[in-house]
């Protein structure tokens, strides 16, 4: 007589399962690259928890909204994938979730770097280099993930094309919404008691947060070091 555990079917959690042809090293590389959206999401969660910057939270909200729109489109169009696979968490492929996600991220980050990210240093060559590098990495990552979805037969060319266009368009629209409509309200939001309790902050007026935090931490560390030396000498 079969036990309840034996009678219950077991299914794999296939959210991150990516198949590639055995012995195909390019396919293996593209399979690894296709996991990039999960790394980006993990980075967002980490930044939201530990930095609590309103712009990061708004950016993440756009990512979530982009995923919801993709889900609605997929289950409305219901176009099958080019190759049927057992264990896939979604049998529909139009538009590609990976392509839409990555191009939303790439479009938003490109505009963010152009309009918001500025170095607090005098070297314009260095500033231009870092801006081009960040934009190049974002676009190259989106291209690699998009190409991998067709190479591994998870999506057709039209599915990744539409996913890319929809994601890029939503990224541009959401950046405009955040930059023009939401950002002016950030100073008001951080003045709320609830925001103070949650340690929310607005870094909009700081040109480069990384450089700002680096210089302030370095200054504070040196001041505390001098104070400690002074106390020991007394």
């Amino acid at each position: 007589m079969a036990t309840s555990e034996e009678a219950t079917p077991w299914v794999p959690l296939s959210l991150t399962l990516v198949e590639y042809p055995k012995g195909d090293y390019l396919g293996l590389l593209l399979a690894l690259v296709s996991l990039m959206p999960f790394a980006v999401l993990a980075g967002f969660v980490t930044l939201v928890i530990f930095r609590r910057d309103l712009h990061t939270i708004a950016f993440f909200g756009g990512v979530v909204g982009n995923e919801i729109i993709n889900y609605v489109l997929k289950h409305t169009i219901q176009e099958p994938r080019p190759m049927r696979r057992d264990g896939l968490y979604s049998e529909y492929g139009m538009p590609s979730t990976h392509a839409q996600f990555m191009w939303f991220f790439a479009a938003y980050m490109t505009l963010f770097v152009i309009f918001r990210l500025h170095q607090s240093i005098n070297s314009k060559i260095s500033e231009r280099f870092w801006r081009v590098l960040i934009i190049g990495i974002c676009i190259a990552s989106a291209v690699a993930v998009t190409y991998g979805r067709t190479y591994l037969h998870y999506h057709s060319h039209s599915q990744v094309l539409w996913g890319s266009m929809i994601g890029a368009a939503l990224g541009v629209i959401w950046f405009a919404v955040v930059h023009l409509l939401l950002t002016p309200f950030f100073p008001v939001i951080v003045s709320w008691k609830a925001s103070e309790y949650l340690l929310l902050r607005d870094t909009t007026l700081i040109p480069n947060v990384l450089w700002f935090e680096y210089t302030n931490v370095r200054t504070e560390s040196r001041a505390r070091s001098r104070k400690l030396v002074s106390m020991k000498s007394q």
Side-chain angles (χ1 to χ4, degrees):
M1 186 175 182
T3 62
S4 59
E5 289 186 358
E6 292 175 344
T8 303
W10 288 66
V11 296
L13 180 61
S14 57
L15 188 63
T16 60
L17 175 64
V18 185
E19 298 176 331
Y20 64 94
K22 185 177 181 179
D24 186 347
Y25 294 106
L26 176 59
L28 172 60
L29 176 62
L30 293 173
L32 293 172
V33 169
S34 68
L35 300 178
M36 194 172 296
F38 299 99
V40 173
L41 285 174
F44 265 118
V45 173
T46 303
L47 287 174
V48 169
I49 292 175
F50 291 101
R51 297 188 63 86
R52 310 195 185 192
D53 175 51
L54 288 178
H55 186 271
T56 304
I57 296 173
F59 190 177
F60 182 60
V63 170
V64 174
N66 179 63
E67 291 296 292
I68 293 174
I69 291 173
N70 178 268
Y71 180 87
V72 172
L73 289 174
K74 266 190 174 180
H75 288 79
T76 301
I77 300 172
Q78 297 185 353
E79 181 178 299
R81 296 174 184 268
M83 179 186 294
R84 182 171 180 82
R85 286 180 165 94
D86 295 330
L88 269 178
Y89 58 91
S90 176
E91 61 180 314
Y92 306 126
M94 173 64 86
S96 167
T97 305
H98 283 70
Q100 185 171 326
F101 179 97
M102 290 304 299
W103 283 103
F104 176 93
F105 179 79
Y108 192 103
M109 280 299 299
T110 298
L111 294 175
F112 176 81
V113 170
I114 292 173
F115 292 102
R116 293 282 301 273
L117 184 62
H118 302 285
Q119 295 278 0
S120 298
I121 55 180
N122 295 325
S123 175
K124 291 189 176 297
I125 296 177
S126 176
E127 178 180 346
R128 189 177 298 114
F129 168 77
W130 284 110
R131 290 169 64 151
V132 171
L133 180 63
I134 294 171
I135 293 174
I137 291 174
C138 291
I139 294 178
S141 300
V143 170
V145 171
T146 302
Y147 175 70
R149 301 310 285 174
T150 58
Y151 183 90
L152 299 173
H153 303 293
Y154 279 92
H155 294 284
S156 64
H157 288 90
S158 63
Q159 290 171 355
V160 297
L161 178 61
W162 277 105
S164 301
M165 291 191 300
I166 294 171
L170 290 175
V172 172
I173 293 171
W174 185 244
F175 179 84
V177 170
V178 173
H179 188 62
L180 300 176
L181 300 180
L182 299 183
T183 299
F185 292 99
F186 286 172
V188 178
I189 295 174
V190 295
S191 67
W192 297 344
K193 275 292 183 181
S195 299
E196 183 178 344
Y197 176 77
L198 295 173
L199 302 180
L200 299 181
R201 51 181 172 170
D202 174 26
T203 59
T204 304
L205 298 179
I206 301 175
N208 188 309
V209 177
L210 290 177
W211 180 254
F212 174 80
E213 291 184 345
Y214 169 75
T215 54
N216 278 271
V217 169
R218 183 178 61 179
T219 302
E220 181 66 18
S221 178
R222 289 175 176 176
R224 288 178 179 270
S225 179
R226 287 194 297 267
K227 183 178 180 180
L228 184 61
V229 171
S230 176
M231 291 176 61
K232 288 182 177 181
S233 64
Q234 291 177 357

